Amino acid sequence: MERNKNLARVLFQFEKTSLIIIALIFLGNVLVNLLVSILVESLTFSFFITQFVSNLLLFTFIYIMSTGINQMINVIPFLVSLNVPRSRLAKSITVNGLKRVSFVTVFFFLIKIILNKAAYYSMPIILGMDLSTGSLIEDLLLALIVFLVLSLAYSFIIFLGLVGGKYGWEYLLGIIFIALGTVFFLIRSLILLFAFGWRSSVWLLLLIVLFAGLSILNYRLIRNYEYKY
Amino acid sequence: MSKWILEGVSKIFDKTIAVNNISLELEENKIYGLIGRNGAGKTTLLKLLANQLEPTRGVIRKGKEALKDNDSLSQEVCLARETINMLGIRNLSVKKIFQIASDVYPYWDNEYCQDLIKLFSLDIGQKHIKLSRGMQTMVGIIIGLASRAPLTLFDEPYVGLDPVARELFYESLLTDYEKNKRTIIISSHLMSELENLFERIIIIDQGSILLNEEMEAVHEKAKVISGDKAYVEKILKDKKVIYRQEIGRLANYTVFDSFTEEELREFKDLNINYSSINLQKLFINLAKGGNFNGEE
């Protein structure tokens, strides 16, 4: 347990700097938006809330992605070069991502609850859910979707890096093209999903399966990682 | 006590055979020298031992335990390098790097690490990327020494070090080795300086082992014999001739074999020169195209 705590502490050392930078940029953005909404008469406080939530979504996504990229480029090779036990490293990388995503999801959930109370703020309809209703079940479902999407994004970015490192960057480009092609092929279904929540339970199941599959693949790839530097 | 054993280990990168069917037994608590030319396969061999590369063929084990997928065995190995290649890590301070190393190596001796930092006068507040080449090498050396890993590997641990720093490293290594025995492998080109450290020598060329011998035996058996070609070749008929250099009627032979008192008397009678050869010269003659089969 002590060694696992040490590894968690080590992993946090690597992301401290990017976390501070992203937080500063986000706060700067929020400050600018606040000033704009105060100084420009035609803009309401509701505008600021919309900007705040959009920025929060964007920057937490950037934070999760940058954590994944940092772990792939720096953390995994360095810790493999220090002979950290592979199974521990693989578990820590996955758990580290889950912890970060869970924290972000809880944070979003709390923001949603607070906005529910702010009656003057109207919320959009996404995935066929009217977010203004303030239904707890819908909020929990939304939190689950945010959790799965961010976890999948984190796992996918690490998967790309590990595959590229092991098999060559041609395979990496191949996977990216396949992923983009799949999205393009399913664009109609995705639009229907976002607008009307069409077959959302199927998509939810798909997210869970993809996330579980990528986690297992990442575990194996880290266990067999070769330090070629 | 279990030996580290390599059985038929090969490592192939695309079409390049970096390590070719190596079988080797490493005795515990010995200092090994791993000698080879650039591209001979030294670093690849060390990385295989450190479980940082997977063998294409063959098995690496300690006693009966295989290294593959064995986390507890991997933690017994430390491969100390002269530099760190990841930009994100090089932007960390040296203090942070040592902190990370202390968190991951199970046998880490922090007190010894602090002593070494003082000994090498290393500024640990500096970022790794801002250090000179020699200082970066010192970071690797300190990690290797302070890890106290039962199998500690140093990959060319003298790059960028001035003679004083190299001497400090040799002294620290020997002093600590006397008190805390472990298996140490040092890959090197600087044979003249390191020869006295090594208890056993492994010479590698094009991915294959050419020599795996005790240093004492190397000193005893590695000789240069020079004289009249006709006479010398008669005596050396059944001996292991590694390298031959002819100048007219005269010839120099690098030999790796033992000689009887009678044979030595014959050398004296026939005015044939018989002298010892140092490790560096032995290696150079091997590298020039000699081998232990006596072919060129």
Side-chain angles (χ1 to χ4, degrees):
Chain A
M1 188 56 92
E2 183 61 35
R3 295 247 154 237
N4 285 338
K5 267 196 202 148
N6 288 345
L7 199 50
R9 189 171 61 205
V10 165
L11 291 174
F12 183 64
Q13 291 293 331
F14 293 111
E15 61 177 84
K16 247 182 356 192
T17 309
S18 60
L19 179 61
I20 290 168
I21 293 170
I22 290 169
L24 285 172
I25 297 172
F26 168 71
L27 285 170
N29 229 315
V30 164
L31 196 63
V32 165
N33 281 310
L34 183 64
L35 284 170
V36 165
S37 65
I38 290 169
L39 296 171
V40 177
E41 276 182 38
S42 56
L43 296 173
T44 61
F45 190 63
S46 180
F47 162 80
F48 168 71
I49 297 293
T50 310
Q51 290 299 305
F52 175 79
V53 172
S54 315
N55 276 318
L56 197 60
L57 270 168
L58 177 67
F59 281 96
T60 46
F61 184 74
I62 290 170
Y63 165 63
I64 297 294
M65 296 298 270
S66 72
T67 303
I69 291 168
N70 186 34
Q71 294 197 331
M72 189 185 64
I73 292 173
N74 293 309
V75 176
I76 293 172
F78 183 58
L79 293 182
V80 166
S81 78
L82 293 182
N83 279 55
V84 169
R86 300 299 183 87
S87 57
R88 254 201 312 137
L89 179 61
K91 275 182 210 153
S92 294
I93 296 286
T94 306
V95 166
N96 195 47
L98 283 174
K99 272 188 198 165
R100 303 288 177 271
V101 169
S102 301
F103 177 75
V104 164
T105 305
V106 165
F107 185 59
F108 266 117
F109 184 70
L110 290 172
I111 298 274
K112 178 67 172 60
I113 301 288
I114 292 166
L115 290 178
N116 283 348
K117 305 289 182 207
Y120 60 86
Y121 182 70
S122 63
M123 297 204 215
I125 297 172
I126 56 163
L127 301 171
M129 292 186 290
D130 183 356
L131 300 179
S132 309
T133 58
S135 156
L136 185 64
I137 303 234
E138 281 190 351
D139 287 345
L140 285 171
L141 188 60
L142 191 63
L144 177 64
I145 292 166
V146 166
F147 177 82
L148 285 171
V149 167
L150 289 176
S151 300
L152 191 63
Y154 173 82
S155 301
F156 189 61
I157 205 88
I158 290 185
F159 174 70
L160 284 179
L162 291 170
V163 163
K166 187 171 174 77
Y167 299 108
W169 298 103
E170 314 86 22
Y171 284 89
L172 165 66
L173 285 174
I175 290 169
I176 291 173
F177 278 126
I178 290 169
L180 287 173
T182 308
V183 167
F184 183 74
F185 183 70
L186 296 170
I187 195 77
R188 194 165 150 260
S189 309
L190 285 167
I191 291 169
L192 289 171
L193 169 71
F194 279 117
F196 308 112
W198 183 72
R199 292 202 181 166
S200 54
S201 50
V202 174
W203 283 101
L204 206 60
L205 191 62
L206 184 65
L207 281 176
I208 293 169
V209 167
L210 278 173
F211 171 60
L214 280 176
S215 298
I216 293 167
L217 282 171
N218 287 345
Y219 181 85
R220 290 304 319 164
L221 285 166
I222 293 170
R223 282 219 67 152
N224 296 325
Y225 184 84
E226 291 195 313
Y227 184 83
K228 290 180 185 168
Y229 290 90
Chain B
M1 291 212 292
S2 303
K3 294 181 187 180
W4 283 88
I5 298 167
L6 287 83
E7 286 176 337
V9 171
S10 295
K11 181 64 183 171
I12 303 169
F13 295 105
D14 294 330
K15 291 176 188 160
T16 307
I17 303 174
V19 166
N20 188 9
N21 196 28
I22 283 181
S23 292
L24 192 58
E25 275 186 25
L26 298 169
E27 290 167 34
E28 278 201 309
N29 303 335
K30 247 189 171 114
I31 301 181
Y32 284 82
L34 180 62
I35 311 287
R37 298 188 67 178
N38 296 330
K42 303 187 296 297
T43 301
T44 305
L45 183 60
L46 293 180
K47 282 184 187 174
L48 286 165
L49 274 167
N51 201 24
Q52 290 172 17
L53 290 177
E54 209 178 309
T56 312
R57 281 190 294 268
V59 166
I60 299 172
R61 54 188 173 88
K62 187 183 180 192
K64 291 184 181 160
E65 273 188 270
L67 182 61
K68 187 177 159 62
D69 291 337
N70 191 330
D71 286 341
S72 58
L73 203 53
S74 299
Q75 283 210 282
E76 290 195 11
V77 189
C78 171
L79 172 52
R81 290 190 184 82
E82 88 275 10
T83 191
I84 292 169
N85 290 304
M86 291 128 287
L87 187 61
I89 309 303
R90 296 185 69 203
N91 272 315
L92 296 176
S93 67
V94 174
K95 184 177 178 184
K96 209 145 268 179
I97 292 172
F98 284 144
Q99 210 168 35
I100 291 167
S102 73
D103 276 339
V104 301
Y105 284 111
Y107 305 100
W108 182 268
D109 186 336
N110 207 39
E111 212 179 298
Y112 185 42
C113 175
Q114 297 305 317
D115 292 338
L116 290 168
I117 289 167
K118 275 194 203 109
L119 181 71
F120 286 109
S121 308
L122 192 61
D123 180 4
I124 59 171
Q126 274 271 43
K127 286 190 181 188
H128 188 272
I129 201 167
K130 291 215 156 63
L131 298 177
S132 67
R133 189 76 198 268
M135 293 284 184
Q136 289 179 8
T137 301
M138 280 180 203
V139 172
I141 283 171
I142 292 173
I143 289 176
L145 289 171
S147 72
R148 291 261 165 80
L151 176 61
T152 305
L153 314 171
F154 290 97
D155 191 8
E156 298 189 17
Y158 44 77
V159 172
L161 289 185
D162 59 56
V164 174
R166 289 204 299 269
E167 199 55 43
L168 285 174
F169 165 55
Y170 306 148
E171 278 171 18
S172 307
L173 179 79
L174 278 175
T175 310
D176 191 63
Y177 177 70
E178 288 305 311
K179 291 185 212 159
N180 305 286
K181 292 280 187 194
R182 49 175 145 167
T183 309
I184 295 172
I185 303 179
I186 304 173
S187 85
S188 171
H189 298 302
L190 283 185
M191 280 149 272
S192 50
E193 281 187 12
L194 288 164
E195 196 173 333
N196 296 327
L197 279 182
F198 300 148
E199 292 176 280
R200 197 166 175 98
I201 198 84
I202 301 170
I203 296 181
I204 184 171
D205 187 48
Q206 292 181 31
S208 301
I209 304 276
L210 293 186
L211 175 71
N212 177 11
E213 195 66 77
E214 294 286 324
M215 270 316 292
E216 262 184 57
V218 171
H219 287 137
E220 222 177 84
K221 292 185 186 177
K223 303 290 179 203
V224 167
I225 318 264
S226 50
D228 194 299
K229 201 168 64 172
Y231 296 137
V232 178
E233 285 202 353
K234 225 185 337 192
I235 301 171
L236 297 182
K237 204 173 54 167
D238 299 316
K239 301 293 182 188
K240 221 183 232 177
V241 176
I242 294 166
Y243 183 73
R244 186 182 285 113
Q245 189 183 27
E246 293 177 16
I247 313 155
R249 258 184 55 197
L250 301 172
N252 287 328
Y253 299 83
T254 305
V255 176
F256 193 83
D257 216 316
S258 311
F259 291 90
T260 60
E261 286 296 325
E262 208 183 301
E263 284 164 334
L264 293 175
R265 266 199 299 274
E266 221 179 320
F267 284 143
K268 215 173 169 182
D269 295 341
L270 294 169
N271 244 346
I272 291 168
N273 286 326
Y274 169 87
S275 58
S276 297
I277 185 173
N278 64 25
L279 184 61
Q280 183 152 311
K281 200 67 193 159
L282 172 68
F283 172 67
I284 290 170
N285 284 351
L286 268 171
K288 277 185 198 169
N291 60 55
F292 283 91
N293 296 321
E295 299 149 12
E296 280 181 57

